[in-house]
Amino acid sequence: MTTQSVDVLYVAVATAENGRDGRVASDDGKLDVVVNTPKELGGSGAGTNPEQLFAAGYSACFQSALGVVARQTGTSVAGSLVTAKVGIGKTPDGGLGLDVKLLVSIPDVDPGTAKDLVEKAHQVCPYSNATRGNIAVELILV
Protein backbone atom coordinates (compact mmCIF):
# COMPACT_ATOMS: atom_id res chain seq x y z
CA MET A 1 0.00 0.00 0.00
CA THR A 2 1.32 3.44 -0.90
CA THR A 3 1.21 6.46 1.34
CA GLN A 4 -1.22 9.15 0.27
CA SER A 5 0.33 12.48 -0.69
CA VAL A 6 -1.48 15.55 0.66
CA ASP A 7 -1.20 19.25 -0.16
CA VAL A 8 -1.89 20.43 3.41
CA LEU A 9 -4.44 23.25 3.72
CA TYR A 10 -4.89 23.26 7.50
CA VAL A 11 -3.11 21.73 10.49
CA ALA A 12 -4.91 20.94 13.75
CA VAL A 13 -2.69 20.80 16.82
CA ALA A 14 -3.65 19.11 20.08
CA THR A 15 -1.53 18.04 23.00
CA ALA A 16 -2.29 15.24 25.46
CA GLU A 17 -1.08 15.25 29.02
CA ASN A 18 -1.11 12.00 31.04
CA GLY A 19 -2.62 9.91 28.23
CA ARG A 20 -6.00 8.32 28.88
CA ASP A 21 -6.18 9.77 32.37
CA GLY A 22 -5.38 13.40 31.83
CA ARG A 23 -6.26 16.23 29.52
CA VAL A 24 -6.25 17.04 25.82
CA ALA A 25 -6.16 20.60 24.53
CA SER A 26 -5.85 22.28 21.16
CA ASP A 27 -3.26 25.00 20.65
CA ASP A 28 -5.98 27.60 19.99
CA GLY A 29 -7.86 26.80 23.24
CA LYS A 30 -11.10 25.81 21.47
CA LEU A 31 -10.78 22.23 22.72
CA ASP A 32 -9.77 21.51 26.29
CA VAL A 33 -11.18 18.32 27.78
CA VAL A 34 -10.50 15.91 30.58
CA VAL A 35 -9.95 12.38 29.30
CA ASN A 36 -10.35 9.19 31.30
CA THR A 37 -10.32 5.53 30.51
CA PRO A 38 -13.90 4.20 30.07
CA LYS A 39 -15.34 2.15 32.93
CA GLU A 40 -15.58 -0.81 30.52
CA LEU A 41 -11.78 -0.75 30.27
CA GLY A 42 -11.21 -0.40 34.01
CA GLY A 43 -11.11 3.38 34.28
CA SER A 44 -13.22 5.96 36.04
CA GLY A 45 -15.13 7.01 32.93
CA ALA A 46 -15.35 10.50 34.42
CA GLY A 47 -14.18 12.33 31.30
CA THR A 48 -14.40 11.78 27.59
CA ASN A 49 -12.04 9.33 25.90
CA PRO A 50 -10.08 9.04 22.64
CA GLU A 51 -12.72 6.77 21.10
CA GLN A 52 -15.46 9.37 21.69
CA LEU A 53 -13.26 12.09 20.23
CA PHE A 54 -12.54 9.91 17.18
CA ALA A 55 -16.28 9.16 16.79
CA ALA A 56 -17.08 12.88 16.96
CA GLY A 57 -14.49 13.75 14.34
CA TYR A 58 -15.38 10.89 12.01
CA SER A 59 -19.14 11.53 12.15
CA ALA A 60 -18.69 15.27 11.45
CA CYS A 61 -16.24 14.63 8.63
CA PHE A 62 -18.41 11.94 7.04
CA GLN A 63 -21.49 14.19 7.28
CA SER A 64 -19.58 16.88 5.36
CA ALA A 65 -18.43 14.38 2.73
CA LEU A 66 -22.04 13.25 2.34
CA GLY A 67 -23.04 16.85 1.70
CA VAL A 68 -20.32 17.25 -0.93
CA VAL A 69 -21.35 14.19 -2.93
CA ALA A 70 -25.04 15.05 -2.54
CA ARG A 71 -24.48 18.53 -4.01
CA GLN A 72 -22.58 16.98 -6.93
CA THR A 73 -25.62 14.85 -7.76
CA GLY A 74 -28.22 17.52 -6.98
CA THR A 75 -29.67 15.50 -4.12
CA SER A 76 -30.83 17.09 -0.87
CA VAL A 77 -29.59 15.43 2.29
CA ALA A 78 -31.34 17.94 4.56
CA GLY A 79 -32.05 16.41 7.94
CA SER A 80 -29.48 13.66 7.48
CA LEU A 81 -27.57 12.34 10.48
CA VAL A 82 -24.32 10.42 10.81
CA THR A 83 -23.59 8.52 14.01
CA ALA A 84 -20.17 6.94 14.45
CA LYS A 85 -19.80 4.02 16.84
CA VAL A 86 -16.13 3.46 17.59
CA GLY A 87 -15.25 0.27 19.41
CA ILE A 88 -11.92 -0.66 20.93
CA GLY A 89 -10.88 -4.22 21.58
CA LYS A 90 -8.21 -6.86 21.40
CA THR A 91 -6.69 -7.86 18.08
CA PRO A 92 -5.68 -11.45 17.28
CA ASP A 93 -2.01 -10.59 17.89
CA GLY A 94 -2.76 -9.38 21.43
CA GLY A 95 -2.73 -5.65 20.74
CA LEU A 96 -5.64 -3.25 20.68
CA GLY A 97 -7.54 -2.07 17.62
CA LEU A 98 -10.56 -0.08 16.57
CA ASP A 99 -13.80 -1.03 14.85
CA VAL A 100 -16.13 1.59 13.34
CA LYS A 101 -19.78 1.51 12.41
CA LEU A 102 -21.20 4.56 10.61
CA LEU A 103 -24.97 4.77 10.92
CA VAL A 104 -26.34 7.12 8.28
CA SER A 105 -29.89 8.40 8.09
CA ILE A 106 -30.98 10.33 4.99
CA PRO A 107 -34.71 11.10 5.23
CA ASP A 108 -36.71 11.61 2.04
CA VAL A 109 -34.09 9.92 -0.15
CA ASP A 110 -34.83 6.52 -1.68
CA PRO A 111 -32.70 3.65 -0.34
CA GLY A 112 -30.82 3.08 -3.61
CA THR A 113 -29.79 6.71 -3.92
CA ALA A 114 -28.94 6.88 -0.21
CA LYS A 115 -26.71 3.81 -0.50
CA ASP A 116 -24.93 5.31 -3.50
CA LEU A 117 -24.37 8.63 -1.70
CA VAL A 118 -23.00 6.88 1.40
CA GLU A 119 -20.60 4.77 -0.67
CA LYS A 120 -19.40 7.87 -2.55
CA ALA A 121 -18.98 9.79 0.71
CA HIS A 122 -16.88 6.90 2.03
CA GLN A 123 -14.53 7.37 -0.93
CA VAL A 124 -13.98 11.11 -0.35
CA CYS A 125 -14.13 11.42 3.47
CA PRO A 126 -10.60 12.04 4.85
CA TYR A 127 -11.30 9.84 7.89
CA SER A 128 -12.44 7.01 5.61
CA ASN A 129 -9.32 7.44 3.51
CA ALA A 130 -7.15 7.37 6.62
CA THR A 131 -8.77 4.22 8.02
CA ARG A 132 -9.23 2.28 4.74
CA GLY A 133 -7.33 -0.99 4.88
CA ASN A 134 -6.40 -0.43 8.54
CA ILE A 135 -9.61 -0.96 10.51
CA ALA A 136 -13.05 -2.33 9.84
CA VAL A 137 -15.54 0.39 8.88
CA GLU A 138 -19.14 -0.73 8.36
CA LEU A 139 -21.58 1.58 6.57
CA ILE A 140 -25.16 1.15 7.81
CA LEU A 141 -28.20 2.95 6.39
CA VAL A 142 -30.82 3.54 9.08
Side-chain angles (χ1 to χ4, degrees):
M1 189 161 108
T2 61
T3 303
Q4 183 181 43
S5 175
V6 176
D7 180 17
V8 175
L9 301 173
Y10 167 76
V11 175
V13 179
T15 301
E17 179 182 340
N18 294 323
R20 286 184 169 270
D21 287 304
R23 172 179 166 264
V24 177
S26 61
D27 65 333
D28 62 5
K30 292 180 181 177
L31 176 73
D32 191 340
V33 295
V34 172
V35 291
N36 293 111
T37 302
K39 287 182 180 181
E40 296 83 352
L41 298 179
S44 72
T48 189
N49 59 66
E51 293 72 36
Q52 288 176 329
L53 295 170
F54 189 80
Y58 203 160
S59 62
C61 190
F62 197 89
Q63 176 76 42
S64 291
L66 183 64
V68 167
V69 298
R71 281 189 296 282
Q72 291 171 347
T73 64
T75 306
S76 173
V77 292
S80 62
L81 297 172
V82 176
T83 301
K85 292 185 174 185
V86 176
I88 186 170
K90 293 184 180 180
T91 61
D93 65 0
L96 291 173
L98 300 177
D99 173 89
V100 175
K101 290 176 179 41
L102 294 176
L103 290 74
V104 183
S105 170
I106 311 175
D108 305 321
V109 174
D110 70 86
T113 301
K115 182 177 188 278
D116 184 56
L117 290 172
V118 168
E119 288 173 356
K120 286 179 179 174
H122 191 45
Q123 295 306 307
V124 301
C125 173
Y127 274 67
S128 293
N129 288 332
T131 59
R132 187 170 292 109
N134 297 309
I135 64 173
V137 176
E138 184 179 357
L139 306 173
I140 304 167
L141 278 171
V142 295

Coordinates of all heavy atoms in Angstrom, one line a residue, residues 62-99:
F62 N -17.6 12.7 8.0 CA -18.4 11.9 7.0 C -19.7 12.7 6.6 O -20.1 12.7 5.5 CB -18.8 10.6 7.6 CG -19.2 9.6 6.6 CD1 -18.3 8.8 6.0 CD2 -20.5 9.4 6.2 CE1 -18.7 7.8 5.0 CE2 -20.9 8.5 5.3 CZ -20.0 7.7 4.7
Q63 N -20.3 13.4 7.6 CA -21.5 14.2 7.3 C -21.2 15.2 6.2 O -21.9 15.5 5.3 CB -22.0 14.9 8.6 CG -23.2 15.8 8.3 CD -24.5 15.0 8.1 OE1 -24.8 14.1 8.8 NE2 -25.3 15.5 7.2
S64 N -20.0 15.9 6.4 CA -19.6 16.9 5.4 C -19.3 16.2 4.0 O -19.7 16.8 3.0 CB -18.3 17.6 5.8 OG -18.6 18.4 7.0
A65 N -18.7 15.1 4.0 CA -18.4 14.4 2.7 C -19.7 14.0 2.1 O -19.9 14.1 0.8 CB -17.6 13.1 3.0
L66 N -20.7 13.6 2.9 CA -22.0 13.3 2.3 C -22.7 14.5 1.7 O -23.2 14.4 0.6 CB -22.9 12.7 3.5 CG -24.3 12.3 3.1 CD1 -24.3 11.1 2.2 CD2 -25.1 11.9 4.4
G67 N -22.5 15.6 2.3 CA -23.0 16.8 1.7 C -22.4 17.2 0.4 O -23.0 17.6 -0.6
V68 N -21.1 17.0 0.3 CA -20.3 17.2 -0.9 C -20.8 16.4 -2.1 O -21.1 16.9 -3.2 CB -18.8 17.0 -0.7 CG1 -18.1 17.0 -2.0 CG2 -18.2 18.1 0.2
V69 N -20.9 15.1 -1.8 CA -21.4 14.2 -2.9 C -22.8 14.4 -3.3 O -23.2 14.3 -4.4 CB -21.0 12.7 -2.6 CG1 -19.5 12.5 -2.5 CG2 -21.8 12.2 -1.4
A70 N -23.6 14.8 -2.3 CA -25.0 15.1 -2.5 C -25.2 16.3 -3.4 O -26.0 16.3 -4.4 CB -25.8 15.3 -1.2
R71 N -24.4 17.3 -3.2 CA -24.5 18.5 -4.0 C -24.1 18.2 -5.4 O -24.6 18.7 -6.4 CB -23.6 19.6 -3.4 CG -24.3 20.4 -2.3 CD -23.5 21.6 -1.8 NE -22.2 21.3 -1.3 CZ -22.0 20.9 0.0 NH1 -23.0 20.6 0.8 NH2 -20.7 20.7 0.4
Q72 N -23.1 17.3 -5.6 CA -22.6 17.0 -6.9 C -23.7 16.3 -7.7 O -23.7 16.3 -9.0 CB -21.3 16.1 -6.8 CG -20.1 16.8 -6.3 CD -18.9 15.9 -6.0 OE1 -19.1 14.7 -6.0 NE2 -17.8 16.5 -5.8
T73 N -24.6 15.6 -7.1 CA -25.6 14.8 -7.8 C -27.0 15.6 -7.7 O -28.0 15.1 -8.2 CB -25.8 13.4 -7.1 OG1 -26.3 13.6 -5.8 CG2 -24.5 12.6 -7.2
G74 N -27.0 16.8 -7.1 CA -28.2 17.5 -7.0 C -29.2 16.9 -6.0 O -30.4 17.2 -6.2
T75 N -28.8 16.1 -5.1 CA -29.7 15.5 -4.1 C -29.6 16.2 -2.8 O -28.6 16.6 -2.3 CB -29.2 14.0 -3.9 OG1 -29.2 13.4 -5.1 CG2 -30.2 13.3 -3.0
S76 N -30.8 16.5 -2.2 CA -30.8 17.1 -0.9 C -30.7 16.0 0.2 O -31.4 15.0 0.2 CB -32.2 17.8 -0.7 OG -32.3 18.3 0.7
V77 N -29.8 16.3 1.1 CA -29.6 15.4 2.3 C -30.0 16.2 3.6 O -29.5 15.9 4.7 CB -28.2 14.8 2.4 CG1 -27.9 13.9 1.2 CG2 -27.1 15.9 2.4
A78 N -30.9 17.2 3.4 CA -31.3 17.9 4.6 C -31.9 17.0 5.6 O -32.6 16.0 5.3 CB -32.4 18.9 4.1
G79 N -31.6 17.2 6.8 CA -32.1 16.4 7.9 C -31.3 15.1 8.1 O -31.6 14.3 9.0
S80 N -30.2 14.9 7.3 CA -29.5 13.7 7.5 C -28.7 13.7 8.8 O -28.3 14.7 9.3 CB -28.6 13.4 6.3 OG -27.6 14.5 6.2
L81 N -28.4 12.5 9.3 CA -27.6 12.3 10.5 C -26.5 11.3 10.3 O -26.8 10.3 9.6 CB -28.4 11.9 11.7 CG -29.5 12.9 12.1 CD1 -30.4 12.2 13.2 CD2 -28.9 14.2 12.7
V82 N -25.4 11.4 10.8 CA -24.3 10.4 10.8 C -23.9 10.2 12.3 O -23.5 11.1 13.0 CB -23.1 10.8 10.0 CG1 -22.0 9.8 10.1 CG2 -23.5 11.1 8.5
T83 N -24.0 8.9 12.7 CA -23.6 8.5 14.0 C -22.4 7.5 13.8 O -22.6 6.6 13.1 CB -24.7 7.8 14.8 OG1 -25.8 8.7 14.9 CG2 -24.3 7.4 16.2
A84 N -21.3 7.8 14.5 CA -20.2 6.9 14.5 C -20.1 6.2 15.8 O -20.1 6.8 16.8 CB -18.9 7.7 14.2
K85 N -20.0 4.9 15.7 CA -19.8 4.0 16.8 C -18.4 3.5 16.7 O -18.1 2.7 15.8 CB -20.8 2.9 16.9 CG -22.2 3.3 17.1 CD -23.2 2.1 17.3 CE -24.5 2.6 17.7 NZ -25.4 1.4 18.0
V86 N -17.5 3.9 17.6 CA -16.1 3.5 17.6 C -15.9 2.5 18.8 O -16.0 2.9 19.9 CB -15.2 4.7 17.7 CG1 -13.7 4.2 17.7 CG2 -15.4 5.6 16.5
G87 N -15.6 1.3 18.4 CA -15.2 0.3 19.4 C -13.8 0.1 19.5 O -13.0 0.2 18.6
I88 N -13.3 -0.3 20.7 CA -11.9 -0.7 20.9 C -11.9 -2.1 21.5 O -12.7 -2.4 22.4 CB -11.2 0.4 21.8 CG1 -9.7 0.0 21.9 CG2 -11.9 0.5 23.2 CD1 -8.9 1.1 22.6
G89 N -11.0 -2.9 21.1 CA -10.9 -4.2 21.6 C -9.6 -4.9 21.2 O -8.7 -4.3 20.5
K90 N -9.4 -6.1 21.6 CA -8.2 -6.9 21.4 C -8.1 -7.4 20.0 O -9.1 -7.8 19.4 CB -8.1 -8.0 22.4 CG -7.9 -7.5 23.8 CD -7.7 -8.7 24.8 CE -7.6 -8.1 26.2 NZ -7.3 -9.1 27.2
T91 N -7.0 -7.3 19.4 CA -6.7 -7.9 18.1 C -6.2 -9.3 18.2 O -5.7 -9.7 19.3 CB -5.7 -7.0 17.3 OG1 -4.4 -7.0 18.1 CG2 -6.2 -5.6 17.1
P92 N -6.2 -10.1 17.2 CA -5.7 -11.5 17.3 C -4.2 -11.6 17.7 O -3.9 -12.5 18.4 CB -5.8 -12.0 15.8 CG -6.9 -11.2 15.2 CD -6.8 -9.8 15.9
D93 N -3.4 -10.5 17.5 CA -2.0 -10.6 17.9 C -1.8 -10.1 19.3 O -0.6 -10.0 19.8 CB -1.1 -9.8 16.9 CG -1.4 -8.3 16.9 OD1 -2.3 -7.9 17.6 OD2 -0.7 -7.6 16.1
G94 N -2.9 -9.8 20.0 CA -2.8 -9.4 21.4 C -2.7 -7.9 21.7 O -2.7 -7.4 22.8
G95 N -2.7 -7.1 20.6 CA -2.7 -5.6 20.7 C -4.2 -5.1 20.8 O -5.1 -5.9 21.1
L96 N -4.3 -3.9 20.7 CA -5.6 -3.2 20.7 C -5.9 -2.6 19.3 O -5.0 -2.1 18.7 CB -5.8 -2.2 21.8 CG -5.7 -2.7 23.2 CD1 -5.7 -1.5 24.2 CD2 -7.0 -3.5 23.5
G97 N -7.2 -2.6 18.9 CA -7.5 -2.1 17.6 C -8.9 -1.4 17.7 O -9.6 -1.6 18.7
L98 N -9.3 -0.7 16.6 CA -10.6 -0.1 16.6 C -11.5 -0.7 15.6 O -11.0 -1.4 14.6 CB -10.4 1.4 16.2 CG -9.5 2.3 17.1 CD1 -9.4 3.7 16.6 CD2 -10.2 2.3 18.5
D99 N -12.8 -0.5 15.7 CA -13.8 -1.0 14.9 C -14.8 0.1 14.7 O -15.2 0.7 15.8 CB -14.5 -2.3 15.5 CG -15.7 -2.7 14.7 OD1 -15.5 -3.6 13.8 OD2 -16.8 -2.3 15.0

